Amino acid sequence: MKIAVIGAGIVGVSSANWLTKYGQEVTLYDRTDPGTETSFGNAGTYAKYANVPTNSSSFFYLFPYLLLNKNSPLFIRGKYFLKVLPWLTKYLSNCRPSKVKYTSEKLTTLLTKVDEGYAELFKEANIEHLISRESVMYVWSSKLFYNSAIPDFTTRAKTGIDIELLNHDEISEVEPNLNNIFYKGALFKGSYFSKNPKETTEGLLKLFQSKGGIYRQEEVTDIKMNSSDNVEIITDKSRETYDKIIICAGVWSKKLASLFGDNVPLESERGYHISYKNYNPIKRPVAWQERGTYFTPMNNGLRVAGTVEFAGLERELNRKVINFLSRSAKQVFPDIPSHDNEWLGFRPSAPDSLPVIGQSKKNPYIYYCFGHQHIGWSLGGITGKLIAQEAIANKTDIDLTPFSVGRF
Ligand SMILES: Cc1cc2nc3c(=O)[nH]c(=O)nc-3n(C[C@H](O)[C@H](O)[C@H](O)COP(=O)(O)OP(=O)(O)OC[C@H]3O[C@@H](n4cnc5c(N)ncnc54)[C@H](O)[C@@H]3O)c2cc1C
């Protein structure tokens, strides 16, 4: 079959690779350089343990604190508040324990297969040198937040991850260069991280091209049904017909899906990073829980990434968020120099914290793979594999019903 994939972030590039591996004729479209949107600036963690949705039950109780505290990683742009309110209401309503349990079970089915989605691709792409096997460490600076996380340890362990709890002194033994202001920590054994997400995505793109895949730097502006059994992609530069199309355009998928009457409540949870070139005091990603902030040792310096801001898709950076990240970095690394790069990305999030994977309900030639919220870097490989199986043969390794666009 002749299949088009729209979007060359980690989800699209992985999907394109799996389709090629399954013998399809694949063209991948992106309006910009591959891997340079949300997949560029994340914390790089393959977070196999991340089956507790961000809108967990404890989040509901902590929400007023997160909204009002000056050290909170949550930001809402004043003029955007009313716009995001319906989404936020749905998001908060999903904090009820029965829903959290359901979400967590569904995320677990994907997270237990993270390695299955990537291992072969990494090997074939020859990019193992970009992957560090040092496991991710969470740290808590307050008893309140640590205690609220305790029930999650059992849930997280269901992904097969071995969690080693650490006391104050043990945190320093694991990472001696941290200013140890922390009460407790946890090591998620078996998790790992990319030392350079952009180079990782580029490596996977090269693999795709080496197997005959075609990459076109074009913006998809429309998709039309033809009278014969195929669909046509119209871009700023060309028109081309395909047997099937897979939309993997991150947060921008909402607009493309709406062309077919699939209205997905996708919101951008904006995240930021700042980076410190050639400064690398730690070996592994360290995630300060109260601050929603990761410190990741990339191969070009320390990346300080995180926060959630609701302010739509405009590109302007909020100085308050940048200052928040830089203040947090200074507390953990008092001798840190000034940062030399600032970045903003758009996590694609549905209010139930599950991605959308599967066929359009309105058009049998259109498939979706987007909405990976906070864990798309981890899930790109396996969801790419699953959507390839679905598009080719409607026969997938796991049941995709819970991820269907029909749930909205
Ligand atoms: C600060 C931060 C930290 C994070 N940390 C982690 C982490 O440690 N671990 C983890 O698992 N996840 C993490 N994430 C989440 C993860 O980065 C995202 O879930 C993931 O990158 C989403 O990938 P994607 O391919 O769906 O989207 P994107 O990377 O945004 O790619 C979508 C692509 O579609 C293209 N596109 C859109 N519209 C069109 C069009 N009309 N025509 C052509 N092309 C189009 C865009 O140009 C873009 O390249 C983090 C996110 C942020 C912001």
Side-chain angles (χ1 to χ4, degrees):
M1 265 189 297
K2 193 177 163 195
I3 302 183
V5 176
I6 305 175
I10 191 61
V11 176
V13 171
S14 301
S15 305
N17 265 299
W18 281 107
L19 286 163
T20 312
K21 270 172 98 61
Y22 290 138
Q24 309 304 308
E25 191 188 320
V26 187
T27 302
L28 173 64
Y29 288 86
D30 203 295
R31 59 183 177 206
T32 182
D33 290 334
T36 55
E37 286 284 5
T38 320
S39 301
F40 173 86
N42 51 61
T45 64
Y46 297 101
K48 298 197 270 182
Y49 52 83
N51 62 346
V52 177
T54 48
N55 48 346
S56 63
S57 307
S58 55
F59 175 83
F60 184 80
Y61 297 109
L62 293 169
F63 186 66
Y65 166 89
L66 290 168
L67 210 53
L68 299 171
N69 192 287
K70 91 171 172 49
N71 282 327
S72 153
L74 177 67
F75 297 81
I76 305 183
R77 195 81 59 95
K79 61 180 187 218
Y80 199 72
F81 185 72
L82 284 179
K83 264 196 181 158
V84 76
L85 197 56
W87 185 93
L88 214 48
T89 309
K90 275 193 205 141
Y91 181 79
L92 287 171
S93 76
N94 287 325
C95 291
R96 59 189 191 281
S98 58
K99 186 69 192 188
V100 172
K101 185 170 177 282
Y102 174 85
T103 308
S104 172
E105 279 167 13
K106 301 311 159 203
L107 289 176
T108 303
T109 62
L110 299 174
L111 286 161
T112 46
K113 291 181 173 290
V114 167
D115 295 347
E116 202 184 295
Y118 282 129
E120 264 178 62
L121 299 185
F122 288 170
K123 199 161 172 235
E124 286 177 34
N126 209 7
I127 52 172
E128 275 296 336
H129 62 286
L130 294 173
I131 311 298
S132 166
R133 301 285 159 181
E134 295 283 0
S135 45
V136 177
M137 178 164 76
Y138 274 18
V139 285
W140 289 264
S141 52
S142 69
K143 206 171 179 173
L144 171 75
F145 270 73
Y146 177 72
N147 285 346
S148 74
I150 291 174
D152 298 343
F153 292 138
T154 319
T155 310
R156 291 186 190 281
K158 287 186 184 144
T159 61
I161 285 270
D162 176 13
I163 305 173
E164 184 184 341
L165 298 180
L166 306 169
N167 64 29
H168 171 85
D169 292 343
E170 287 163 340
I171 293 170
S172 292
E173 281 164 30
V174 174
E175 286 296 346
N177 296 329
L178 289 181
N179 179 27
N180 195 345
I181 51 174
F182 300 108
Y183 169 63
K184 296 275 186 196
L187 269 179
F188 296 100
K189 297 200 166 161
S191 62
Y192 44 98
F193 71 102
S194 163
K195 292 186 276 183
N196 192 317
K198 180 163 181 278
E199 288 175 14
T200 303
T201 310
E202 283 169 351
L204 294 176
L205 180 80
K206 272 192 201 138
L207 172 67
F208 164 69
Q209 289 174 308
S210 73
K211 298 275 167 76
I214 296 167
Y215 172 65
R216 291 168 86 143
Q217 190 153 329
E218 300 179 22
E219 174 157 15
V220 175
T221 52
D222 205 356
I223 301 168
K224 292 244 184 290
M225 271 310 296
N226 284 342
S227 46
S228 44
D229 256 8
N230 56 32
V231 261
E232 184 180 28
I233 284 194
I234 301 164
T235 76
D236 51 350
K237 296 186 185 125
S238 67
R239 303 174 83 106
E240 185 81 39
T241 52
Y242 294 94
D243 298 311
K244 290 188 173 169
I245 293 174
I246 304 181
I247 296 177
C248 306
V251 74
W252 299 276
S253 305
K254 179 186 169 98
K255 197 172 160 197
L256 294 169
S258 72
L259 294 173
F260 308 98
D262 282 319
N263 293 314
V264 184
L266 204 64
E267 181 57 54
S268 159
E269 289 191 70
R270 297 154 65 98
Y272 287 70
H273 84 224
I274 53 178
S275 54
Y276 300 80
K277 207 169 172 192
N278 302 328
Y279 178 77
N280 254 338
I282 48 177
K283 294 192 292 287
R284 73 196 65 248
V286 175
W288 184 357
Q289 292 303 292
E290 284 82 352
R291 298 290 171 94
T293 300
Y294 281 76
F295 303 95
T296 302
M298 296 291 172
N299 62 7
N300 48 8
L302 186 71
R303 176 175 290 184
V304 179
T307 67
V308 169
E309 183 191 38
F310 293 104
L313 291 174
E314 65 177 52
R315 301 261 169 189
E316 194 191 331
L317 273 70
N318 180 349
R319 299 311 308 167
K320 280 192 193 152
V321 184
I322 298 292
N323 293 340
F324 166 85
L325 287 175
S326 130
R327 212 168 57 239
S328 301
K330 194 102 197 134
Q331 281 177 266
V332 180
F333 305 102
D335 67 347
I336 201 164
S338 299
H339 64 270
D340 45 32
N341 194 34
E342 299 174 350
W343 174 88
L344 157 69
F346 305 91
R347 296 182 192 92
S349 301
D352 61 1
S353 291
L354 292 176
V356 179
I357 318 168
Q359 195 175 32
S360 159
K361 287 287 151 203
K362 308 279 169 67
N363 186 316
Y365 303 98
I366 304 294
Y367 290 77
Y368 300 130
C369 193
F370 60 79
H372 293 61
Q373 37 105 3
H374 290 245
I375 49 174
W377 187 249
S378 311
L379 293 182
I382 184 59
T383 58
K385 185 175 187 181
L386 292 167
I387 199 62
Q389 294 174 343
E390 176 77 351
I392 296 165
N394 286 317
K395 193 171 178 300
T396 48
D397 290 346
I398 65 163
D399 176 21
L400 291 182
T401 315
F403 309 105
S404 163
V405 70
R407 72 186 191 265
F408 299 113

